[in-house]
Structure formats: C-alpha cells, structure tokens
Amino acid sequence: MSFVRAEIAVLKNILILESTCDETAAAVVTMEREVLSSVVASQEHLHEKYGGVVPEIASRAHVERIVPVIDEALRRANLSLDDIDAVAVANTPGLAGSLLVGLAAAKALCLARGLPLVAVNHLQAHIYACRLAAGHEVFPCLGLIVSGGHTSLYRCTTPLEFELLGGTIDDAAGEAFDKVASLLGLPFPGGPSIEKAAQGGDPRAVSLPRPLLDSDRLEFSFSGLKTAVRYRICPPGTAATALTPRAVADLAASFQEAAVDCLVGKTLLALKRTQMRVLCVGGGVAANARLRQRLGDEARRLGIALHIPPLSLCTDNAVMGAIAVERLLAGLVEPLDLDVYPGLVRQTSR
Ligand code: KG4
Ligand code: ZN
C-alpha cells in the first residue's frame, strides 16, 4: 500500500513497538529521527530458570506489558496518543506469539485512531541502529547481525535493501553464548555472563575449534564449538565434576575468543569480497566488548568506517524501529491485514 507524499509531509511523531523475542519495547521518534522516549521491559527473570527464552511465557508476558509500556513511552515523551501520527511495529522475524502481540497492539491503535501502519523488519532495524547512533548516513555498508536468533552478513545498499551474503548454518552466536553459559553454570542471558567470567580467564587456556574459519565459505557455524566446550567440561563416558572458578573463567575466555575469531574472520572475508568500506554491526552480541575491540582494531588496520551502536541500541529496543521513517519517506505503509513472518524476511524487504 502506498502513501501519498502530501500526507507524509504532515507526519511528525511515530510510535514504534517491538516484541519480537523477550523484550517488550516502545519508543516515540520524530520524522527527523529525534528520539523522544524509549522504554524496554525485559523478561529476563521469567526465562532465567529455563536457561533460554520460552516462547509461550514470552508472548503471555508481552500481553501483560504492552499497554503499560506504550503508556510509559508516551508519558516520557510528554505526548498523548493525539500527538501520534503513525504506528510502526516489528513483524518479522521473531517468535510468532511474541510478534503477534506487538502487531495486534499496533493494528488496534491504527484502527482506533485512523493512523498509518508501518512494518519494521527487525534485522534491518538492528543495522539501522548504526545509522541512528552515527547521526548521519551509513549506507551502503556491510551489515553484520549477531543476535540470539541470527548471525548473518548482508550487503546493505540502502536502509531498506538487504542482500544476504551468508549466515549461520546451525546456531546463532548469541544462542551459543547462552548455551555455553548454561553449561558453565552462569546466569541467563549468557552473553553478558560469559563476558564477565572471561575477564578473569585466559583465552589461550583451552584449545577450542573455530568452525569453518579456514574455509572460503561465507557462513558461520557455532554448534561444534558449543559441543567442544561441553566435552571439555565433561568428556564422553566420564561423570560430571564441579568446575573450579578458575576453570569456568578459562573456558568462558577461550569460548569467547573462539566465537569472536569466527565472527571477525568471516566479516573480513565479506569486506574483501564486497569491497565495502563501511561496516555496521547490530544485535545483542554486538554489546560484547571483546568483539567491539577486535572489530575496532581490524577497521583501523583496513581504514574502513566501523559503526557499532551503544549497548542500549545493540540489544532489542524500539528506537531502532525508526527505520520506519525510511519506509514512510518511501511511501510504504501496510494494510490492516498485515501478518507476522516469524522466520521469513518478507513483506518488509523491498
Ligand atoms: O538482539 P538481541 O537482544 O535479541 C535477539 O534478537 O536475539 O540479542 C540477544 C542475544 C542473547 O543471546 C545474549 O546472550 C546476547 O545477545 N548478548 C551478548 C552480550 N549481551 C547480549 N553476547 C555476548 N556478549 C554480550 N555482552
Ligand atoms: Zn534482535
């Protein structure tokens, strides 16, 4: 559905909703990309005891949180619903039940208020966080998305045009951090726990594989690395023994170094293949200090521009959904029968 330019000219404030996984988030952003408010309600404590996100629990928690989170975003922006000119919502990819809650809330607001509905692709939004943090254009760029559900490299010609260059053939990097943390008895979410434990460990203490790193395939693989950690903790055929704090720190540091080696190595390969001079990194794992440091070193060495958003824009948030501005400027709004696409990047990719 297209939106006529005369109508776009009068738009001012966009309410953005994000509920793709286990964060319920809302933000108010202007058409000039000024962030008026951002609210993120985390569900970490609900999923902690399971060592991972439980989809049914996540969607029920979104139902409880979505209205208070929207109210709080409006309150912090000092605005009421009367001041909102469009509603944007992430409808792909993510957990089906979680996506549905955000989409239903967005549709209800649009229907009640006669507002345009804008679809946000959560992966494109993770890269768009770099555009917001930079405060200037970053496209075309190579996009590296490292999150709990995705680990992929994209040629991002414009904010809305993404070409997949390669991704993980099994686990996502964040998933591997979460599972290894659980094996080491560290709290959920695993990424920050591994990073913290690794600070006291030796990254060379345990020899771990770097799957696919030596191949010229633009793909990642983390399940073998995860299994290698498992067998280091408890070799096949032996009984599990308690790990000393030193062993936990060394395993955490060695795992983190191996995962970062794989992420950096394939990113360098993609930069070489595409000859792109700008690298944008998004997703929860982009919060990892060791990954940020290693990418920073490589960017300086190669003389390329590196954009990694501040931590609050790396993990899931609604502000990055300001990519809706680009869709509105392109005249792209959605009908109210818009659906969710849990696994597929459809509908919102142009
Ligand atoms: O992008 P995100 O918030 O949600 C998804 O779309 O998946 O990413 C969540 C993932 C989790 O797997 C979490 O463990 C990981 O990001 N993560 C980290 C760090 N902070 C969050 N991984 C490594 N180091 C971190 N500091
Ligand atoms: Zn995400």
Side-chain angles (χ1 to χ4, degrees), residues 12-73:
K12 200 160 166 247
N13 301 315
I14 313 171
L15 173 68
I16 306 165
L17 309 183
E18 150 67 44
S19 67
T20 56
C21 188
D22 64 335
E23 323 280 359
T24 319
V28 181
V29 176
T30 69
M31 283 297 282
E32 281 70 47
R33 303 178 190 82
E34 186 191 352
V35 180
L36 301 184
S37 68
S38 172
V39 179
V40 181
S42 168
Q43 304 177 6
E44 273 164 21
H45 64 287
L46 295 178
H47 303 284
E48 196 169 6
K49 66 173 175 246
Y50 304 102
V53 177
V54 182
E56 185 60 28
I57 293 176
S59 47
R60 282 166 193 265
H62 283 307
V63 171
E64 288 166 8
R65 288 162 171 71
I66 192 83
V67 173
V69 163
I70 292 170
D71 282 344
E72 183 62 13

Side-chain angles (χ1 to χ4, degrees), residues 1 24 40 43 65 71 73-74 107-108 118 131 144 147 159 163 169 190 202 222-223 228 235 248 267:
M1 197 192 253
T24 319
V40 181
Q43 304 177 6
R65 288 162 171 71
D71 282 344
L74 290 170
K107 283 182 182 178
V118 187
R131 158 71 181 88
L144 168 66
S147 72
E163 181 200 339
I169 56 169
D202 175 1
F222 293 100
S223 77
V248 169
T267 303

Side-chain angles (χ1 to χ4, degrees), residues 18 20-21 23 93 122-123 126 145-150 282-284 314-317 320:
E18 150 67 44
T20 56
C21 188
E23 323 280 359
H122 180 76
L123 298 183
H126 267 306
I145 295 175
V146 267
S147 72
H150 298 269
C314 286
T315 46
D316 286 348
N317 64 88
M320 64 190 191

Side-chain angles (χ1 to χ4, degrees), residues 7-306:
E7 288 171 298
I8 293 160
V10 300
L11 299 181
K12 200 160 166 247
N13 301 315
I14 313 171
L15 173 68
I16 306 165
L17 309 183
E18 150 67 44
S19 67
T20 56
C21 188
D22 64 335
E23 323 280 359
T24 319
V28 181
V29 176
T30 69
M31 283 297 282
E32 281 70 47
R33 303 178 190 82
E34 186 191 352
V35 180
L36 301 184
S37 68
S38 172
V39 179
V40 181
S42 168
Q43 304 177 6
E44 273 164 21
H45 64 287
L46 295 178
H47 303 284
E48 196 169 6
K49 66 173 175 246
Y50 304 102
V53 177
V54 182
E56 185 60 28
I57 293 176
S59 47
R60 282 166 193 265
H62 283 307
V63 171
E64 288 166 8
R65 288 162 171 71
I66 192 83
V67 173
V69 163
I70 292 170
D71 282 344
E72 183 62 13
L74 290 170
R75 196 189 63 76
R76 288 192 199 170
N78 221 358
L79 297 177
S80 79
L81 267 182
D82 294 340
D83 304 305
I84 297 300
D85 304 304
V87 182
V89 62
N91 74 323
T92 187
L95 301 171
S98 292
L99 288 164
L100 278 170
V101 178
L103 182 61
K107 283 182 182 178
L109 287 169
C110 290
L111 187 63
R113 296 265 160 178
L115 297 174
L117 174 67
V118 187
V120 167
N121 176 317
H122 180 76
L123 298 183
Q124 292 181 340
H126 267 306
I127 294 300
Y128 198 73
C130 295
R131 158 71 181 88
L132 294 170
H136 57 77
E137 202 51 83
V138 295
F139 301 93
C141 66
L142 177 75
L144 168 66
I145 295 175
V146 267
S147 72
H150 298 269
T151 302
S152 331
L153 286 155
Y154 291 87
R155 184 198 301 270
C156 313
T157 317
T158 70
L160 303 177
E161 279 167 303
F162 269 41
E163 181 200 339
L164 179 66
L165 300 170
T168 180
I169 56 169
D170 41 56
D171 294 346
E175 193 182 344
F177 270 89
D178 291 338
K179 294 284 153 48
V180 168
S182 162
L183 290 171
L184 294 175
L186 298 170
F188 176 82
S193 303
I194 295 261
E195 180 171 352
K196 195 159 161 235
Q199 280 163 10
D202 175 1
R204 291 171 307 272
V206 186
S207 162
L208 293 171
R210 270 81 173 147
L212 296 184
L213 190 55
D214 289 335
S215 89
D216 61 0
R217 288 161 60 184
L218 217 41
E219 286 172 328
F220 302 93
S221 167
F222 293 100
S223 77
L225 173 57
K226 191 179 67 181
T227 308
V229 174
R230 185 170 182 274
Y231 286 153
R232 280 296 180 150
I233 296 170
C234 179
T238 65
T241 50
L243 292 170
T244 63
R246 173 88 235 164
V248 169
D250 284 346
L251 274 162
S254 301
F255 162 77
Q256 178 176 262
E257 201 62 18
V260 167
D261 275 349
C262 295
L263 292 169
V264 172
K266 293 298 174 183
T267 303
L268 292 180
L269 181 60
L271 282 168
K272 196 169 158 203
R273 290 227 177 123
T274 59
Q275 293 291 301
M276 293 191 115
R277 307 295 302 158
V278 182
L279 171 62
C280 287
V281 190
V285 184
N288 185 274
R290 182 66 181 142
L291 178 63
R292 295 169 85 95
Q293 181 194 31
R294 290 278 306 280
L295 288 173
D297 291 346
E298 294 297 343
R300 265 187 302 279
R301 186 176 66 78
L302 296 170
I304 61 155
L306 170 67

